[in-house]
């Protein structure tokens, strides 16, 4: 696949892939969509993903990825959707994510993410429509974030008892 330099879309949902996410996929300069959801990927998110400068949609959801969400995700300045829900990710949410002004959806529900959120999320991410944080270990003065979330179409606050955010979106 690394030789397909003009490739724009990779959708490998529900393919029973296992092992690490191949780092060679990070050398596809035209890639706009990378959807690896619902597989069996394990290990850390490869650093090569930061090379995908045209990426608009990244879904690594429903895998078994571990470790921190890397800071370099903030290099993906065209990213509109970041979906990393339902993995085994830990550590704090890197602040670099909140510098991606094009982000419309952030979904990190069902992980072990800890720490606090910046109180200026809404002023930094003015296009943000969906923020899914359920079932993590976030804490702090996040109520300030909620006060400015009037433009959000969808909102999921961290809880231990919540439904899948996409079920809510689809009204199911």
């Amino acid at each position: 696949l690394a030789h397909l330099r003009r490739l724009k879309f990779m959708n490998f949902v529900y393919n029973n892939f296992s092992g690490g996410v191949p780092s060679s996929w990070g050398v596809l300069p035209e890639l706009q969509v990378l959807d690896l959801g619902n597989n069996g990927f394990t290990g850390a998110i490869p650093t090569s993903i930061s090379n995908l400068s045209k990426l608009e949609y990244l879904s690594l959801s429903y895998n078994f990825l571990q470790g921190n969400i890397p800071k370099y995700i903030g290099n993906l300045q065209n990213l509109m959707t970041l979906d990393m829900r339902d993995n085994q990710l830990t550590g704090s949410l890197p602040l670099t994510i909140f510098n991606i002004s094009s982000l419309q959806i952030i979904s990190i529900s069902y992980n072990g993410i800890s720490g606090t959120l910046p109180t200026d999320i809404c002023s930094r991410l003015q296009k943000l429509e969906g923020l899914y944080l359920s079932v993590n270990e976030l804490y702090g003065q996040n109520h300030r974030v909620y006060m400015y979330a009037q433009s959000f179409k969808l909102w999921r606050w961290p809880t231990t008892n919540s439904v899948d955010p996409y079920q809510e979106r689809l009204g199911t």
Side-chain angles (χ1 to χ4, degrees):
L1 289 176
H3 298 291
L4 300 173
R5 310 287 289 165
R6 296 187 336 194
L7 189 65
K8 292 184 179 186
F9 306 97
M10 281 180 55
N11 183 337
F12 289 144
V13 176
Y14 292 108
N15 274 294
N16 294 318
F17 286 121
S18 60
V21 175
S23 60
S24 62
W25 292 350
V27 297
L28 299 168
E30 299 298 318
L31 199 64
Q32 296 172 357
V33 173
L34 179 58
D35 193 341
L36 304 177
N38 294 283
N39 281 288
F41 287 113
T42 58
I45 299 168
T47 58
S48 62
I49 286 180
S50 67
N51 299 328
L52 302 174
S53 62
K54 294 189 179 180
L55 201 62
E56 297 175 4
Y57 181 93
L58 174 61
S59 176
L60 302 172
S61 62
Y62 298 103
N63 281 288
F64 302 99
L65 297 171
Q66 302 159 335
N68 295 333
I69 297 174
K71 291 180 191 175
Y72 61 75
I73 292 292
N75 296 343
L76 303 175
Q77 290 299 306
N78 291 310
L79 202 60
M80 292 187 269
T81 298
L82 176 63
D83 186 358
M84 296 187 171
R85 66 189 149 129
D86 211 332
N87 277 286
Q88 299 166 3
L89 299 169
T90 56
S92 61
L93 198 56
L95 296 179
T96 57
I97 288 175
F98 302 105
N99 294 331
I100 306 173
S101 60
S102 57
L103 269 175
Q104 296 173 5
I105 295 175
I106 300 173
S107 180
I108 59 161
S109 298
Y110 301 96
N111 279 289
I113 303 299
S114 59
T116 60
L117 294 173
T119 57
D120 62 348
I121 289 175
C122 297
S123 63
R124 292 168 86 178
L125 300 177
Q126 295 184 5
K127 296 179 181 177
L128 194 64
E129 296 178 359
L131 179 61
Y132 306 104
L133 308 171
S134 304
V135 193
N136 279 291
E137 299 171 22
L138 296 165
Y139 61 91
Q141 296 185 6
N142 296 329
H143 65 280
R144 289 186 191 160
V145 175
Y146 183 73
M147 289 183 348
Y148 298 105
Q150 302 303 320
S151 65
F152 287 175
K153 293 179 182 172
L154 306 165
W155 174 264
R156 270 293 187 222
W157 194 246
T159 69
T160 55
N161 298 315
S162 65
V163 297
D164 182 339
Y166 288 94
Q167 287 179 346
E168 180 179 309
R169 181 178 208 182
L170 298 173
T172 58

